[in-house]
Amino acid sequence: MAVETYLQGAEISASQFFEIWHHYDSDGSGYLDGKELQKLIQDLQQARKKAGLDLTPEMKKFVDQYGKSSDGKIGIVELAQILPTEENFLLFFRCQQLKSSEDFMQIWRKYDSDHSGYMDAEELKGFLKDLLQKANKQIDDSKLTEYTDIMLRMFDENNDGKLELTEMAKLLPVQENFLLKFKGVKMSQNEFSKAFESFDSDRSGFIDEQELDALLKNLCEKNKSELDINNIATYKKSIMALSDKGKLFRNDLALILCTGGN
């Protein structure tokens, strides 16, 4: 089995990494949990044993953390930390620029410059090229095109050839991806419009930081099982990173709170 071979120790290509992820993410959720995660751990241990190899320190730490946990959950970033994947591709998952949700939002705003709510293939290609250049890595255009295609295949849930904010956010470690918290509290377009108009108290056409604070407190009160009111400052800081000089417009807030995006 090809996937078993990839787990045995040799450096794997970006395409092979995608194949491994797709194999274990059987429900297409974009995360591994429950039986999916336990199956990965079991296969990893068996493959390394069959190859006469011990688990690497990173693999052992991973197994110790998730091997006995029924409620564990990992994203693509966490898997990339333990598999010997080609260096340039790994940089996208280990990029220091993406160490928090706020950093991610700022980068998203830079590349989604037209506020369309998504990155198309060319915008994504520019984003990946920039990350590599900041890491002092140079690759030829054909390799960059290959990486762009693989990233689309990995993250583009609805296969529209574009990456939306929530899809692209999977570049963040699970614990840093605050958008997961808002996944269960998203509103319909009608509900979102009413909420936006209600909290845009001065009818300016945008929400400022104070108005966002009130909106988030309201959401936390209504969704206590999903959102922690003690984390409002963190939520607010990440969301305001999407703003234009402190002005959070309807389309940008919709990316987080509306089921239909913007």
Side-chain angles (χ1 to χ4, degrees), residues 31 101 104-105 165-170 172 176-184 186 239 242 255-257:
Y31 299 95
S101 288
F104 169 77
M105 292 296 194
L165 179 70
T166 52
E167 294 172 331
M168 193 69 174
K170 289 174 185 174
L172 288 166
E176 283 293 341
N177 191 349
F178 90 105
L179 291 172
L180 290 175
K181 296 287 186 183
F182 286 84
K183 194 172 183 179
K186 286 200 170 190
I239 295 172
L242 287 174
L255 293 174
I256 296 170
L257 296 181

Side-chain angles (χ1 to χ4, degrees), residues 28-94:
S29 66
Y31 299 95
L32 303 185
D33 54 12
K35 292 181 179 179
E36 296 172 334
L37 183 53
Q38 295 309 312
K39 175 65 172 167
L40 167 66
I41 290 172
Q42 180 183 342
D43 288 353
L44 176 65
Q45 291 174 310
Q46 291 178 350
R48 299 287 292 187
K49 184 176 181 180
K50 187 174 181 179
L53 298 169
D54 292 330
L55 296 176
T56 66
E58 292 81 9
M59 290 177 180
K60 188 175 186 307
K61 182 178 179 181
F62 178 84
V63 171
D64 289 344
Q65 182 175 355
Y66 297 106
K68 296 179 181 179
S69 174
S70 60
D71 59 354
K73 185 180 203 178
I74 69 165
I76 293 173
V77 176
E78 286 82 2
L79 183 62
Q81 308 304 317
I82 65 166
L83 296 184
T85 311
E86 60 181 80
E87 181 185 7
N88 283 339
F89 190 68
L90 271 181
L91 286 171
F92 302 136
F93 305 103
R94 294 178 175 171

